[in-house]
């Protein structure tokens, strides 16, 4: 099997584990199969089931995920935590057509001020529904 990228998340100053969830999303757009391993946290692949729901071809093997190039589909997904939430925002931005709805944004709010406005300033088609009630 041909592997394009092999990334290992370790303790700073190497590839930090905080970047592992967004990297998993970005690797779905690589032109070959990738391996992403996390040697800091054993169960920090919380975004994977949601990415699978969006059409990603990915599987967990121990402390690693094997990621195949995938076209992402619009879907309703839920952020299980801050980093996984940002990975799902990125996934939604990659979707070629349709609208991805993300719930659990309160996790993202804890770590990113004005994320929607900042992404809009970069040209993203993104918005946030006002709280109902």
């Amino acid at each position: 099997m041909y592997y394009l990228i092999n990334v290992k998340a370790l303790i700073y100053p190497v590839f930090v584990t905080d970047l592992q969830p967004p990297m998993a999303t970005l690797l779905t757009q690589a032109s070959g199969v990738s391996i992403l391993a996390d040697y800091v946290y054993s169960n920090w692949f919380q975004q994977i089931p949601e990415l699978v729901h969006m059409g990603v071809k990915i599987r967990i093997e121990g402390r690693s995920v094997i990621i195949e190039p995938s076209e992402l589909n619009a879907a309703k997904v839920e952020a299980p935590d801050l980093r996984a939430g940002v990975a799902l925002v990125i996934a939604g931005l990659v979707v070629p057509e349709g609208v991805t709805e993300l719930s659990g944004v309160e996790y993202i709010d804890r770590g990113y001020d004005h994320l929607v406005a900042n992404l809009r300033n970069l040209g993203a088609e993104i918005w946030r529904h006002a709280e109902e009630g």
Side-chain angles (χ1 to χ4, degrees), residues 25 28-29 51 54-56 70-74 90-92 94-96:
T25 299
T28 67
Q29 303 306 296
L51 289 174
M54 294 179 76
V56 173
S70 306
E71 182 174 312
L72 280 79
N73 303 308
I90 294 168
V94 172
V95 170

Side-chain angles (χ1 to χ4, degrees), residues 20-25 47 51 72 82-92:
Q20 175 266 111
M23 180 59 78
T25 299
Q47 75 283 8
L51 289 174
L72 280 79
L82 170 62
R83 288 154 192 86
V86 169
L88 295 171
V89 168
I90 294 168

